């Protein structure tokens, strides 16, 4: 009996394995292509008031961060809540055998692809307006708005009735659903809390396609879960926002400090005082030439001579930015209040600058910068932002290392620093906060120059961000990310800490197939291939 050589048998086995693998891969490819075609067909047959786009989809793979681009299969332009519910329910009915996911996209201001859905469906929330915006008067006024409405439009409409929302973000050209899925923080948060603390009621489409009204008294778990829930439990299609009487004018003030401890002490004094300013923020200025001269286009110096002699070159300075709302008939009283409040502070006397603007002009101030940057082609660049919530007890350690050692020569955009009172936040929402009664928002709002290899390059800024995060971890500062971005569930577990279990429970209850907001990279949809 003759035996085949061992090498011949080995080669034949390898060929057999290869043939088997090719067969398997071919089956998967055929099934994928058939599934792809079937998915398109099934979406096209859905009864909708709006429509799907299958060709004009590239804009849905972009966002303000300009770093991630995941092309969707389709973009839904809804005209009604039922369009959104029908689409999500259809994906839900397809079950785990489909890789299709769904993301809601507002004004596209996400930073790391959070509102994108690779080979999924992106819902263009700006196409959805729902019932007309309606302002309600009374003892506790409010406005009912679509989840796709921009805050700037809410401001304009509510001002017609002498009213306005209580809490804002610094940039108003964002959608209601977008900011409420995170928190919504600005200089009013020390008093009113974030935007999610000023919502009475929501209409939400869950990951099963159910349309539910929720509030503190109705579907309360969903209500609190969706607020700050990063889009994981449902898409906000309508919100009832708390309003208050709106002022006509604002006194807008800036003063400088050279010492961070004094700057922080004054901030905390103002945010804890009963009679204080209506808006309190701060920012860091690193090696800015002719700083006060640049301010003159918006502000008037109290002492022009001393201001002209002030040198900012090569220095790290801290600016306290304040606002006091008023109506013209109360101008004398407001001036006395401001004089009294400023007398309690220890800023550099020659750096007091003040301006008087309309309420809407103050709130929409960042849009002015946007227009200028767009005209210079500097808006649609990478924005590797890093937003941190730092416990009050650790802010001095943080400032000493970050502003003293890591960021020393220049900054590539605004660096915000201001304290927030935790008592104004609802701990039943999904937002994760530091374990102290007072914490600071520190926001590094950097812009990168695409072609640069220097200190304004994307790589350099990302390296700096990593150094900051590594320091926070090594020093055990108890810092939490705001607008968080992680790539593994292990990191997300660490972010949520003891709140992870309730987050998981809510996901299981409202989006058990992990259909919604895949760009957050918290949960991955389980897909059965064969």
């Amino acid at each position: 009996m003759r035996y085949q050589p061992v090498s011949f048998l080995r080669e034949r086995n390898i060929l057999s394995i290869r043939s088997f693998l090719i067969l398997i891969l071919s089956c998967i490819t055929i099934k994928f292509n058939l599934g792809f075609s079937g998915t398109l067909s099934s979406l096209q047959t859905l009864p909708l008031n709006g429509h799907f786009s299958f060709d004009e989809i590239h804009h849905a793979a972009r966002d303000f961060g300009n770093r991630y681009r995941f092309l969707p299969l389709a973009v839904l332009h809804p005209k009604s809540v039922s369009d959104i519910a029908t689409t999500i329910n259809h994906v839900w009915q397809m079950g785990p055998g489909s890789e299709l996911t769904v993301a809601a996209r507002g004004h596209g201001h996400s930073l790391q692809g959070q509102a994108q859905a690779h080979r999924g469906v992106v819902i263009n929330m700006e196409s959805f307006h729902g019932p007309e915006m309606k302002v309600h008067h009374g003892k506790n006024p409010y406005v009912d708005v679509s989840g796709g409405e921009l805050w700037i439009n809410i401001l304009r409409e509510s001002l017609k009735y002498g009213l306005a929302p209580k809490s804002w973000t610094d940039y108003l050209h964002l959608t209601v659903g977008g900011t409420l899925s995170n928190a919504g923080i600005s200089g009013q948060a020390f008093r009113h809390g974030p935007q999610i603390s000023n919502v009475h009621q929501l209409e939400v489409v869950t990951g099963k396609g159910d349309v539910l009204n929720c509030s503190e008294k109705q579907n309360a778990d969903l209500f609190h879960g969706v607020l700050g829930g990063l889009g994981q439990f449902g898409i906000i299609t309508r919100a009832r926002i708390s309003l208050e009487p709106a002022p006509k004018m604002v006194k807008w003030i800036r003063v400088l400090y050279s010492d961070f401890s004094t700057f922080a002490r004054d901030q905390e004094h103002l945010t804890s005082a009963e009679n204080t300013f209506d808006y309190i923020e701060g920012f860091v200025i690193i090696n800015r030439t002719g700083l006060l001269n640049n301010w003159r286009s918006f502000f008037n110096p109290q002492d022009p001579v001393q201001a002209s002699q002030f040198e900012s070159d090569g220095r790290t300075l801290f600016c306290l930015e304040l606002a006091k709302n008023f109506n013209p008939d109360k101008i004398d009283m407001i001036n006395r209040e401001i004089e009294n409040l400023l007398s309690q502070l220890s800023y550099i006397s020659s750096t007091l600058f003040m301006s008087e603007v309309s309420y809407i002009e103050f709130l929409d101030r960042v849009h002015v910068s946007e227009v200028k940057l767009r005209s210079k082609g500097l808006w649609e660049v990478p924005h590797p932002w890093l937003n941190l919530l730092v416990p009050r007890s650790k802010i001095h350690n943080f400032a000493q290392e970050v502003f003293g050692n890591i960021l020393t020569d220049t900054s590539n955009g605004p660096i915000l620093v201001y304290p927030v009172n935790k008592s104004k936040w609802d701990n039943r929402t999904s937002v994760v906060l530091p374990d102290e009664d007072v914490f600071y928002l520190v926001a590094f709002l950097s812009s990168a120059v695409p072609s640069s290899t220097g200190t304004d390059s994307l790589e350099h800024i990302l390296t700096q961000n990593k150094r900051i995060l590594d320091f926070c971890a090594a020093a055990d500062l108890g810092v939490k990310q705001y607008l968080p971005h992680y790539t593994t569930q292990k990191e997300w577990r660490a972010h949520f800490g003891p709140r992870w279990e309730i987050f998981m429970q809510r996901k299981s209850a409202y989006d058990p197939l992990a259909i919604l907001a895949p760009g957050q990279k918290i949960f991955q949809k389980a897909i059965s291939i064969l």
Side-chain angles (χ1 to χ4, degrees):
M1 183 183 292
R2 295 183 61 189
Y3 295 94
Q4 298 287 358
V6 173
S7 59
F8 175 79
L9 292 173
R10 186 183 297 116
E11 287 179 10
R12 192 166 68 178
N13 288 338
I14 291 172
L15 285 172
S16 299
I17 293 170
R18 283 179 179 171
S19 300
F20 178 73
L21 289 174
I22 290 170
L23 179 62
I24 291 293
L25 290 172
S26 298
C27 291
I28 292 172
T29 303
I30 291 168
K31 179 165 183 175
F32 173 79
N33 290 333
L34 289 172
F36 181 83
S37 175
T39 299
L40 284 175
S41 300
S42 68
L43 292 176
Q44 289 170 331
T45 59
L46 292 179
L48 303 174
N49 297 307
H51 69 280
F52 278 105
S53 290
F54 298 99
D55 298 320
E56 297 180 7
I57 56 177
H58 289 82
H59 71 283
R62 298 179 64 111
D63 58 25
F64 181 69
N66 262 307
R67 293 176 53 208
Y68 297 87
R69 295 188 183 179
F70 300 108
L71 204 64
L73 177 68
V75 175
L76 173 64
H77 299 271
K79 295 300 179 186
S80 64
V81 177
S82 65
D83 285 355
I84 298 171
T86 296
T87 300
I88 295 176
N89 181 257
H90 176 71
V91 178
W92 160 255
Q93 294 293 340
M94 293 171 75
S98 167
E99 70 166 7
L100 212 58
T101 55
V102 179
R105 184 184 193 272
H107 203 53
H109 209 73
S110 296
L111 296 170
Q112 286 125 340
Q114 287 97 331
Q116 298 178 32
H118 185 45
R119 294 199 296 266
V121 175
V122 170
I123 300 177
N124 180 7
M125 293 301 293
E126 287 190 299
S127 297
F128 168 68
H129 295 293
E132 187 177 346
M133 192 188 317
K134 187 170 178 60
V135 175
H136 297 259
H137 298 274
K139 184 179 179 182
N140 299 303
Y142 61 87
V143 59
D144 286 326
V145 298
S146 159
E149 194 62 79
L150 297 179
W151 284 97
I152 181 63
N153 295 335
I154 298 172
L155 175 61
R156 288 170 178 154
E157 181 65 21
S158 59
L159 282 177
K160 295 176 183 177
Y161 302 87
L163 300 166
K166 299 174 182 178
S167 189
W168 297 97
T169 52
D170 289 328
Y171 180 65
L172 303 189
H173 297 250
L174 305 170
T175 60
V176 168
T179 65
L180 296 185
S181 294
N182 289 283
I185 311 175
S186 187
Q188 305 86 6
F190 78 94
R191 171 177 288 164
H192 296 296
Q195 289 180 321
I196 59 172
S197 292
N198 294 276
V199 181
H200 296 310
Q201 184 178 309
L202 297 172
E203 178 186 72
V204 174
V205 182
T206 71
K208 300 176 183 179
D210 298 327
V211 182
L212 299 175
N213 288 316
C214 53
S215 65
E216 289 197 354
K217 296 181 179 179
Q218 180 183 17
N219 296 313
D221 184 64
L222 178 62
F223 177 71
H224 294 121
V226 166
L227 293 173
L230 306 175
Q232 293 301 302
F233 314 122
I235 293 174
I236 297 171
T237 52
R238 197 150 187 80
R240 179 165 291 178
I241 309 295
S242 180
L243 301 177
E244 67 176 359
K248 288 184 169 57
M249 302 295 293
V250 171
K251 286 279 189 179
W252 188 4
I253 302 162
R254 284 180 178 175
V255 292
L256 288 177
Y257 295 76
S258 59
D259 175 65
F260 181 82
S261 295
T262 307
F263 164 73
R265 185 187 66 216
D266 280 359
Q267 278 193 318
E268 291 176 20
H269 166 70
L270 291 174
T271 55
S272 62
E274 192 167 326
N275 180 28
T276 187
F277 291 95
D278 298 295
Y279 161 99
I280 300 169
E281 284 197 12
F283 53 93
V284 185
I285 300 159
I286 301 174
N287 193 18
R288 287 279 298 278
T289 302
L291 173 68
L292 297 191
N293 285 333
N294 296 336
W295 284 3
R296 289 174 186 268
S297 57
F298 293 99
F299 299 88
N300 297 313
Q302 185 187 50
D303 189 328
V305 175
Q306 285 194 43
S308 65
Q309 296 172 353
F310 182 82
E311 293 289 338
S312 60
D313 306 30
R315 303 174 68 179
T316 296
L317 299 166
F318 306 95
C319 176
L320 180 57
E321 185 171 58
L322 309 164
K324 190 73 173 172
N325 303 334
F326 71 98
N327 290 319
D329 59 335
K330 303 288 186 182
I331 183 65
D332 292 336
M333 182 184 74
I334 287 297
N335 283 335
R336 288 193 296 272
E337 285 185 17
I338 289 173
E339 184 178 357
N340 176 52
L341 288 168
L342 291 176
S343 70
Q344 302 169 30
L345 308 180
S346 302
Y347 56 88
I348 302 169
S349 60
S350 62
T351 65
L352 172 58
F353 277 64
M354 197 175 300
S355 179
E356 194 172 298
V357 296
S358 69
Y359 187 55
I360 191 169
E361 187 179 354
F362 172 73
L363 290 177
D364 200 29
R365 62 198 179 279
V366 176
H367 185 56
V368 176
S369 300
E370 177 190 356
V371 172
K372 290 181 180 178
L373 290 171
R374 282 190 184 278
S375 69
K376 298 176 182 178
L378 298 175
W379 185 257
E380 294 182 358
V381 298
H383 294 100
W385 287 10
L386 178 64
N387 297 271
L388 303 175
L389 304 176
V390 183
R392 175 184 176 273
S393 67
K394 307 292 185 180
I395 192 64
H396 296 281
N397 294 354
F398 179 92
Q400 184 177 7
E401 175 64 21
V402 174
F403 307 135
N405 294 324
I406 297 177
L407 302 176
T408 53
D409 297 327
T410 185
S411 62
N412 293 290
I415 304 173
L416 306 183
V417 183
Y418 58 90
V420 181
N421 297 319
K422 193 174 183 177
S423 62
K424 302 297 182 179
W425 297 62
D426 191 329
N427 62 9
R428 294 170 295 181
T429 68
S430 293
V431 175
V432 179
L433 304 174
D435 294 327
E436 291 191 11
D437 292 337
V438 175
F439 56 89
Y440 278 73
L441 171 70
V442 186
F444 302 89
L445 309 182
S446 303
S447 298
V449 177
S451 58
S452 175
T453 57
T455 57
D456 53 3
S457 69
L458 177 61
E459 184 179 1
H460 179 81
I461 297 170
L462 290 175
T463 300
Q464 279 191 333
N465 288 351
K466 187 177 185 303
R467 285 184 65 191
I468 293 169
L469 290 172
D470 287 347
F471 163 70
C472 291
D476 195 22
L477 298 187
V479 167
K480 292 295 182 181
Q481 283 193 36
Y482 175 60
L483 308 178
H485 173 68
Y486 301 102
T487 56
T488 69
Q489 197 170 92
K490 180 181 178 182
E491 292 172 313
W492 280 110
R493 282 176 176 268
H495 171 75
F496 282 101
R499 298 171 66 88
W500 174 250
E501 288 305 318
I502 190 170
F503 199 81
M504 286 273 290
Q505 290 168 13
R506 285 171 170 168
K507 187 67 172 178
S508 178
Y510 306 116
D511 183 27
L513 291 185
I515 290 169
L516 300 177
Q520 294 284 2
K521 295 182 172 61
I522 305 176
F523 302 97
Q524 186 173 358
K525 188 175 183 183
I527 304 166
S528 57
I529 297 175
L530 291 173

